[in-house]
Amino acid sequence: NMLELKNDSLLSGSTTTILNDTSFTKRKFNYISAKIINNEYNKSNNYLTLNKGSKAGLTPDLGVINSKGVIGITKSVSGNYATVMSILNLNSKINVKILHKDYFGSLSWNAKDYNTVQLLDLEVQASIIIGDTIITGGMSTIFPEGIPVGIVKDFSIKNNRYEHINISLFNDMSALGFVEVIENFDSKELKDLREETINE
């Protein structure tokens, strides 16, 4: 199915760059399937448990997603299980951006509503509108760029700054089943490089 799409697009010559990016992402990231066996969403610091662990290749600090979008980041890993810090966690901070714009911010949560998260540190020049789509920004090694998060629900501006921006999540965080854990092949290389640079 994907192959047919590629050929058609290449013939029309319209979306070649997107395809190149996609194939690059495919090589750079490996996806490990897992199932959520415990899901918290009504505390202020929520964690999930997966039925896969180090035996399946999981380590701490891997992004967790499903077909609708971002779910969280792995924290503790044993042989057969892993805990995931949910995006519904006061300590969660994920780099995101507005679709089709190069304005970045941090995804956070104020512990009020499990369907709504907050976008922080966004420049007012971003000129967001209600209904704008928010995706991962790709500025960290944890998530590739372009994974869906949600849409702008409401916002307010005070003193030429965004006072608050609420994002309605694409995922119903109370009803999660199967997920993909993202292993970044470049992650270790990039970390080593950063440490080298800091130590010089």
Side-chain angles (χ1 to χ4, degrees), residues 1-18:
N1 212 5
M2 198 68 174
L3 210 60
E4 283 168 32
L5 182 72
K6 259 186 187 175
N7 293 342
D8 290 349
S9 305
L10 287 173
L11 287 174
S12 68
S14 57
T15 53
T16 339
T17 25
I18 294 167

Side-chain angles (χ1 to χ4, degrees), residues 82-96:
T83 58
V84 175
M85 182 196 283
S86 166
I87 53 173
L88 304 182
N89 188 306
L90 292 174
N91 298 312
S92 174
K93 281 269 189 299
I94 292 171
N95 172 259
V96 293

Side-chain angles (χ1 to χ4, degrees), residues 3-171:
L3 210 60
E4 283 168 32
L5 182 72
K6 259 186 187 175
N7 293 342
D8 290 349
S9 305
L10 287 173
L11 287 174
S12 68
S14 57
T15 53
T16 339
T17 25
I18 294 167
L19 286 165
N20 289 346
D21 285 351
T22 311
S23 54
F24 174 66
T25 303
K26 288 271 187 292
R27 279 200 309 276
K28 197 174 160 186
F29 297 93
N30 178 41
Y31 295 82
I32 302 161
S33 297
K35 186 183 180 186
I36 291 173
I37 53 172
N38 183 38
N39 178 15
E40 299 175 348
Y41 56 89
N42 51 13
K43 299 178 181 176
S44 50
N45 291 312
N46 293 294
Y47 285 87
L48 314 156
T49 310
L50 304 182
N51 70 343
K52 294 267 175 83
S54 57
K55 288 179 187 173
L58 268 59
T59 62
D61 296 323
L62 301 181
V64 181
I65 63 168
N66 65 7
S67 57
K68 288 181 182 172
V70 174
I71 289 168
I73 297 170
T74 58
K75 281 295 152 208
S76 304
V77 177
S78 67
N80 298 306
Y81 301 99
T83 58
V84 175
M85 182 196 283
S86 166
I87 53 173
L88 304 182
N89 188 306
L90 292 174
N91 298 312
S92 174
K93 281 269 189 299
I94 292 171
N95 172 259
V96 293
K97 63 178 282 197
I98 305 161
L99 183 65
H100 304 315
K101 291 184 188 177
D102 279 325
Y103 286 99
F104 295 84
S106 298
L107 197 70
S108 186
W109 189 51
N110 62 10
K112 288 182 181 170
D113 171 10
Y114 68 80
N115 289 313
T116 309
V117 293
Q118 285 65 48
L119 176 52
L120 309 177
D121 312 319
L122 187 73
E123 292 179 47
V124 77
Q125 290 89 329
S127 306
I128 53 168
I129 56 170
I130 289 170
D132 267 349
T133 297
I134 305 300
I135 57 173
T136 52
M139 300 285 268
S140 78
T141 56
I142 295 177
F143 293 101
E145 184 182 336
I147 293 174
V149 173
I151 60 168
V152 176
K153 178 183 179 183
D154 58 59
F155 61 90
S156 67
I157 296 173
K158 191 177 182 181
N159 301 330
N160 208 29
R161 291 171 67 94
Y162 285 115
E163 193 175 26
H164 83 268
I165 306 170
N166 285 321
I167 308 298
S168 291
L169 293 169
F170 289 131
N171 261 317

